[in-house]
Amino acid sequence: MSAILSADDLNDFISPGVACIKPVETLPLRKPEDSSNPYEVTTEDQLAAEKALPAQISLTDCLACSGCVTSAEAVLVSLQSHSEVLNTLDSKPSLNLSHLWYPPTGDAPECLPDGSARENHIGIRVDEGTVFVASVSPQVRASLAATYNVSHVEAGWMIDQLLGGPQGLASGGKYGNKFTWIVDTNAMRETSLVLGADEVMESLQLTDVSQPLGHQGDLGVQPKKPILSSACPGWICYAEKTHPHVLPHLSRLKSPQALTGILLKTVLSGRLRIQPEQIWHVAIMPCFDKKLEASREELTDVHWRSSSDTDPRSPVRDVDCVITARELLMLADSRGINFPALPREPLPFSSSIPFPDPILSSFLFPDLHLDRQNIKSISRPGRFQQTPATGTSGGYLHYILVSQQALCPGSVLQTTRGRNADVIEYTLERDNATLFKAARYYGFRNIQNLVRKLKPARKSRLLGARGGSGGRQASNANSTGLDYAYVEVMACPGGCTNGGGQIKVGDMDADIKSGALGQKEWLAKVDEAYFSMEEEGSDSEEAREPNAQQQQRQQHPPFSDSINGISPTHIRSVLAHWVRLVDIPLDSLVRTSYRVVVSDVGKEGPAGQTDRVAELAGRIGGGW
């Protein structure tokens, strides 16, 4: 991963189990003490007792052990850092799309050349250039907004200036490359919310939840109640490696990061008529575990490219690299760019390159909705309302609750706090009857309690027993966890704004520190910036929106079925257009699968594997 991850970042962790074994071969050899006479013979009774060195386990040892992070994951994750972003930008020229246009026939756009139809105007062949794209999560913008005391929108503009502006990365490097499109993951998060509500509704209508043995995590299998959210890769990694019994409960929907990645790769490769490997996508996320998610084999073009494609090339990841908020600042520092001095204004409207599909352009970039494309089929509905009730992790549970409440007029939502602020139970009631139950579990300590409730009862070995151990069986039968229809699960206490890759109080320079804030107060400031993005964004975007676009918004009001600012009809129409555009089934685009990962702790592995991983970890800074 990145060398900036340290033990200080871990405020909630699971203690190593008995199976955690430190490889002996990674222990450093102790240097012999100096002797004035190397030929002197010393008897045993004259030897001073040596003080044993304290046992230490570093992240290098953990990588070599593979009990939590496998060797393959260590190799893949190590390739994702701010240095990899710079190396990639300097390794190949970008595909010049400044002459991108839409043919009158509605076909795929072309790069107009000065001659050949397959070359751009600077002579770089289309099959040799690379399109650089980026996606940014709202939690990252909130972290930067709190750090530099700017608004959420201004923080987003500063990121845009760094990645795609003339004073950013394009001001240096071998080719002066920049990112052509910078996508807000909020668009695909809204898609995930609508699909998540549909998934829960389908599970409530099913009466038979039996599943074929060995296929509990497959893509085509409907998850069992309670459905557990799957957007947090730290939680998914933990479940796959330690609690396979919860895999049947995991939501099959991809995270906003994964959805954004596959959207960009499928649409751009098809519309620009280039190979998926010519599109390089970096995601800027609040969490280090997102690097693990990007490395999953299930999130590559193997699962969506045409079956007629017999090219034996290596799989292409939907997200090529993930960096965090802190690594974004390191990216700027590596190029000698003063990030807080970047313009706090949007990139010039005239310099923006239209996304090669007008409908998806209006969905991904509503503030850059180009009137010259005469887009009138789809208008942008109101945004999802971010409030403290939605939480800081995307609002998956909140949207499902609001959707269920809309289906049950007269119902009342009751909230019950658990043992701490990261455990909350929600009950939808009407006429003293419970209609829907859900919960929120944040932090691994709370997650362990949840998975314990979901663990199936052990069968009794006693002859004549009716099923399982009496106490254990009764405990599971009366468990409130089994009464939930949905549970939002996140690994970080406090949610995604408290991700390990976010900027912490100790990371800031003395001149930008906000007084003597503790980590708790600092997180509250980040949360405030996160919840303020709705009201800030509406004012700022309307002020800089072209008059023609404002008139078009008034002519095409939001959909009437909007739930908390999101229209399911609008989302489904965009998804249907995406499917028609790329000719790939919807399930292959938006759903994924999970599998049991068997730890190799204490097992004989391939020769040299431990040394190879330990060497790799040391080369990238002693671990992640």
Side-chain angles (χ1 to χ4, degrees):
M1 249 178 224
S2 169
I4 67 174
L5 180 61
S6 66
D8 296 335
D9 302 318
L10 306 178
N11 57 1
D12 190 27
F13 61 92
I14 301 173
S15 300
V18 178
C20 181
I21 303 171
K22 181 176 180 179
V24 177
E25 56 268 28
T26 63
L27 289 173
L29 296 177
R30 186 173 183 180
K31 296 181 180 180
E33 297 181 357
D34 294 336
S35 176
S36 58
N37 186 359
Y39 301 103
E40 180 180 357
V41 178
T42 305
T43 60
E44 184 176 357
D45 57 347
Q46 294 176 324
L47 290 175
E50 294 186 359
K51 184 178 181 181
L53 293 174
Q56 296 180 347
I57 298 180
S58 67
L59 284 175
T60 300
D61 300 320
C62 289
L63 289 173
C65 173
S66 302
C68 300
V69 179
T70 66
S71 304
E73 289 171 338
V75 174
L76 293 173
V77 167
S78 68
L79 301 178
Q80 304 181 53
S81 66
H82 71 285
S83 299
E84 180 63 19
V85 176
L86 295 177
N87 293 336
T88 304
L89 290 173
D90 294 341
S91 65
K92 58 192 74 174
S94 63
L95 185 64
N96 192 295
L97 303 175
S98 59
H99 286 190
L100 191 69
W101 71 298
Y102 294 99
T105 60
D107 295 333
E110 296 284 357
C111 294
L112 286 182
D114 293 335
S116 171
R118 295 305 294 164
E119 293 184 0
N120 61 25
H121 73 286
I122 61 174
I124 298 177
R125 290 184 56 82
V126 172
D127 56 1
E128 295 177 352
T130 299
V131 178
F132 297 98
V133 292
S135 57
V136 184
S137 76
Q139 290 86 358
V140 169
R141 294 195 299 271
S143 182
L144 292 171
T147 300
Y148 297 107
N149 293 314
V150 298
S151 69
H152 190 279
V153 173
E154 289 176 325
W157 289 342
M158 294 166 68
I159 296 175
D160 292 348
Q161 293 285 353
L162 173 66
L163 300 179
Q167 301 180 39
L169 299 177
S171 62
K174 181 178 180 180
Y175 297 102
N177 288 332
K178 63 180 181 179
F179 289 86
T180 304
W181 291 291
I182 305 168
V183 181
D184 183 355
T185 59
N186 267 329
M188 298 312 292
R189 178 179 58 85
E190 293 177 0
T191 302
S192 183
L193 295 181
V194 172
L195 293 174
D198 292 343
E199 186 179 49
V200 171
M201 180 59 65
E202 292 175 4
S203 70
L204 294 175
Q205 297 172 350
L206 290 179
T207 56
D208 182 14
V209 296
S210 61
Q211 297 174 335
L213 185 62
H215 299 272
Q216 293 88 347
D218 284 1
L219 180 147
V221 178
Q222 175 68 26
K224 295 171 56 177
K225 292 187 296 184
I227 295 180
L228 309 179
S229 65
S230 59
C232 175
W235 148 241
I236 296 301
C237 182
Y238 171 66
E240 288 183 326
K241 295 179 180 179
T242 62
H243 296 288
H245 66 274
V246 306
L247 297 189
H249 298 276
L250 292 178
S251 169
R252 301 301 189 269
L253 296 177
K254 295 179 180 178
S255 70
Q257 170 184 297
L259 287 174
T260 304
I262 192 173
L263 176 84
L264 294 174
K265 288 292 179 82
T266 55
V267 173
L268 292 179
S269 62
R271 299 291 281 174
L272 299 179
R273 300 174 184 175
I274 59 178
Q275 296 298 320
E277 56 263 32
Q278 291 181 259
I279 305 164
W280 200 80
H281 174 207
V282 61
I284 306 174
M285 293 288 144
C287 177
F288 286 101
D289 287 332
K290 284 294 183 180
K291 298 172 186 279
L292 283 176
E293 176 184 314
S295 302
R296 293 181 67 91
E297 189 272 336
E298 294 86 353
L299 303 179
T300 63
D301 67 338
V302 172
H303 294 268
W304 55 261
R305 67 186 181 190
S306 173
S307 58
S308 60
D309 187 358
T310 58
D311 189 355
R313 56 184 171 81
S314 301
V316 178
R317 294 195 302 224
D318 297 335
V319 179
D320 298 279
C321 182
V322 175
I323 61 175
T324 62
R326 281 189 282 172
E327 289 174 301
L328 182 72
L329 299 183
M330 297 173 67
L331 181 68
D333 292 338
S334 298
R335 277 283 170 87
I337 301 171
N338 185 9
F339 184 82
L342 289 172
R344 298 175 185 178
E345 58 186 24
L347 295 172
F349 185 81
S350 58
S351 66
S352 62
I353 297 177
F355 194 76
D357 180 81
I359 292 179
L360 291 178
S361 179
S362 66
F363 178 65
L364 297 175
F365 312 100
D367 55 333
L368 295 179
H369 188 178
L370 304 181
D371 183 71
R372 66 173 179 270
Q373 300 299 335
N374 194 25
I375 307 170
K376 295 183 179 180
S377 59
I378 291 182
S379 63
R380 178 69 168 173
R383 282 198 187 89
F384 179 69
Q385 304 294 323
Q386 293 287 358
T387 64
T390 66
T392 61
S393 303
Y396 299 93
L397 172 60
H398 183 75
Y399 185 81
I400 291 173
L401 290 172
V402 174
S403 299
Q404 290 294 322
Q405 194 168 18
L407 297 174
C408 305
S411 58
V412 178
L413 183 63
Q414 302 290 343
T415 302
T416 304
R417 174 172 168 169
R419 298 178 59 183
N420 51 65
D422 284 327
V423 178
I424 303 178
E425 181 181 289
Y426 300 87
T427 305
L428 201 60
E429 300 178 349
R430 184 176 57 189
D431 299 331
N432 296 324
T434 299
L435 305 177
F436 187 85
K437 290 187 68 174
R440 174 190 298 171
Y441 278 74
Y442 287 178
F444 273 120
R445 291 188 180 93
N446 297 320
I447 290 175
Q448 287 179 307
N449 293 329
L450 173 66
V451 298
R452 192 176 298 116
K453 294 177 182 179
L454 295 174
K455 193 170 185 178
R458 294 190 299 267
K459 292 184 178 181
S460 175
R461 298 181 180 179
L462 298 178
L463 295 177
R466 295 185 177 180
S469 176
R472 177 63 175 275
Q473 191 176 26
S475 174
N476 280 274
N478 298 326
S479 171
T480 58
L482 298 180
D483 296 335
Y484 299 144
Y486 184 84
V487 182
E488 182 178 283
V489 185
M490 298 291 164
C492 294
C496 293
T497 52
N498 191 31
Q502 296 283 76
I503 301 171
K504 310 298 182 183
V505 174
D507 299 325
M508 295 182 294
D509 297 330
D511 56 341
I512 62 173
K513 282 190 176 181
S514 302
L517 292 181
Q519 185 59 38
K520 185 176 181 179
E521 292 76 15
W522 171 251
L523 181 59
K525 184 178 180 181
V526 176
D527 291 346
E528 181 182 358
Y530 178 77
F531 295 132
S532 67
M533 67 178 178
E534 166 63 22
E535 55 189 35
E536 293 173 356
S538 59
D539 296 338
S540 302
E541 289 174 6
E542 185 174 348
R544 74 186 189 93
E545 195 172 37
N547 291 331
Q549 184 178 346
Q550 294 184 27
Q551 295 174 2
Q552 186 172 349
R553 285 182 185 268
Q554 296 172 1
Q555 295 172 2
H556 300 273
F559 289 85
S560 59
D561 67 337
S562 293
I563 299 176
N564 210 35
I566 299 178
S567 167
T569 300
H570 171 70
I571 296 297
R572 294 187 185 107
S573 66
V574 172
L575 290 174
H577 174 75
W578 181 17
V579 170
R580 290 192 301 268
L581 192 67
V582 300
D583 193 23
I584 299 175
L586 181 62
D587 281 353
S588 298
L589 294 174
V590 303
R591 294 168 70 87
T592 186
S593 59
Y594 311 99
R595 79 282 187 191
V596 177
V597 178
V598 180
S599 172
D600 56 2
V601 175
K603 299 179 181 180
E604 293 294 335
Q609 183 185 48
T610 299
D611 293 338
R612 179 178 61 84
V613 177
E615 179 184 0
L616 170 66
R619 193 161 59 242
I620 63 174
W624 295 2

